Amino acid sequence: MKVIIMGCGKIGAQVALRLEAEGHEVTVIDPEPTAFGLLGPGFKGRRLTGIGFDQKVLVDAGIKSAEAFAATSTSDTANIVAARIARTIYHVPRVVCRLYDPRRAEIYKRLGLVTISVTTWGAQRIYELLSHAELDTLLSFGQGQVALVEAAVPPQLEGRSVSQVSVPGEIIVVAITRQGEAFLPILGTEFRRGDVVQFAVHASAMERLETLLGLKGG
């Protein structure tokens, strides 16, 4: 996949390095040449000095044939402009825009941009760690509305089936790890002692899941 990343800060550099390690063709744009130092000497992708929403720079970066574009600079305005250009003018299939202001994130999401609000995501993650400490949150999706969490099966669920803890639209049992091996359960699968369960759960249902697991009274 041919990817362009605008902004070589900590997040942009980490994404670039990970994508390149997976074999993707990566070009990183930043107005400050010194910013590329975060990529390290082993980075084999392309470094391009310039303004990430300048169309001449974008064309030089290969935007006409790019399959993905990420705007990760420290400026919300620059990220929005660059993402809109990539999406509406050059029709890049996958465009992600990093924003600090969650209010802007909601506005541009309505315009078809996939936005990541660092402020909202960070606040949600801190909330999860503080208020649901018994549940191990593995991943968060969107702006934290859905999480992948892991928990050991409590005694009261042993012998009960997956269907008894599944709540459509709120709680889904994604996988069970039993004796070191993971598998995808069906609704009739019964929990056993020692099982570790991975749940996909909506943020609004976290307390309900804790109640089902006996982590709080209910």
Side-chain angles (χ1 to χ4, degrees):
M1 181 170 64
K2 187 172 183 179
V3 185
I4 298 174
I5 297 174
M6 185 195 94
C8 195
K10 291 181 180 179
I11 289 181
Q14 288 180 32
V15 172
L17 289 168
R18 184 165 183 176
L19 286 169
E20 194 228 5
E22 294 176 354
H24 299 289
E25 182 183 341
V26 182
T27 297
V28 183
I29 304 172
D30 200 282
E32 296 295 332
T34 55
F36 299 123
L38 290 173
L39 295 170
F43 180 70
K44 297 181 178 60
R46 188 179 174 200
R47 303 169 176 85
L48 182 61
T49 302
I51 303 299
F53 53 83
D54 184 322
Q55 290 194 50
K56 291 182 179 179
V57 173
L58 289 171
V59 170
D60 189 17
I63 191 74
K64 292 182 179 180
S65 58
E67 298 165 82
F69 181 89
T72 67
S73 79
T74 56
S75 167
D76 277 7
T77 300
N79 288 342
I80 290 166
V81 172
R84 290 282 287 169
I85 290 172
R87 170 65 91 187
T88 61
I89 296 178
Y90 296 103
H91 307 292
V92 178
R94 303 176 185 175
V95 177
V96 177
C97 181
R98 176 195 185 189
L99 299 176
Y100 289 89
D101 188 342
R103 294 170 298 179
R104 289 186 177 185
E106 183 60 31
I107 292 170
Y108 286 94
K109 183 177 180 181
R110 294 172 187 167
L111 295 177
L113 290 178
V114 176
T115 60
I116 302 298
S117 172
V118 179
T119 302
T120 302
W121 185 91
Q124 178 64 27
R125 181 62 173 139
I126 291 170
Y127 169 78
E128 290 169 355
L129 292 172
L130 291 178
S131 61
H132 306 293
E134 299 89 346
L135 297 174
D136 185 9
T137 303
L138 306 177
L139 287 171
S140 290
F141 302 96
Q143 304 299 337
Q145 294 93 342
V146 175
L148 181 66
V149 303
E150 183 176 81
V153 167
Q156 67 268 24
L157 286 188
E158 292 173 17
R160 297 180 66 182
S161 67
V162 167
S163 63
Q164 291 177 285
V165 298
S166 299
V167 182
E170 295 185 8
I171 300 169
I172 298 173
V173 177
V174 176
I176 295 176
T177 301
R178 181 175 293 164
Q179 296 180 343
E181 295 188 2
F183 64 94
L184 301 177
I186 60 175
L187 290 176
T189 300
E190 294 184 351
F191 297 112
R192 296 181 186 175
R193 179 178 300 179
D195 283 354
V196 176
V197 186
Q198 291 78 41
F199 298 91
V201 55
H202 194 276
S204 63
M206 278 289 191
E207 291 189 6
R208 185 170 187 173
L209 177 59
E210 289 180 331
T211 299
L212 287 170
L213 294 174
L215 300 176
K216 61 165 52 181

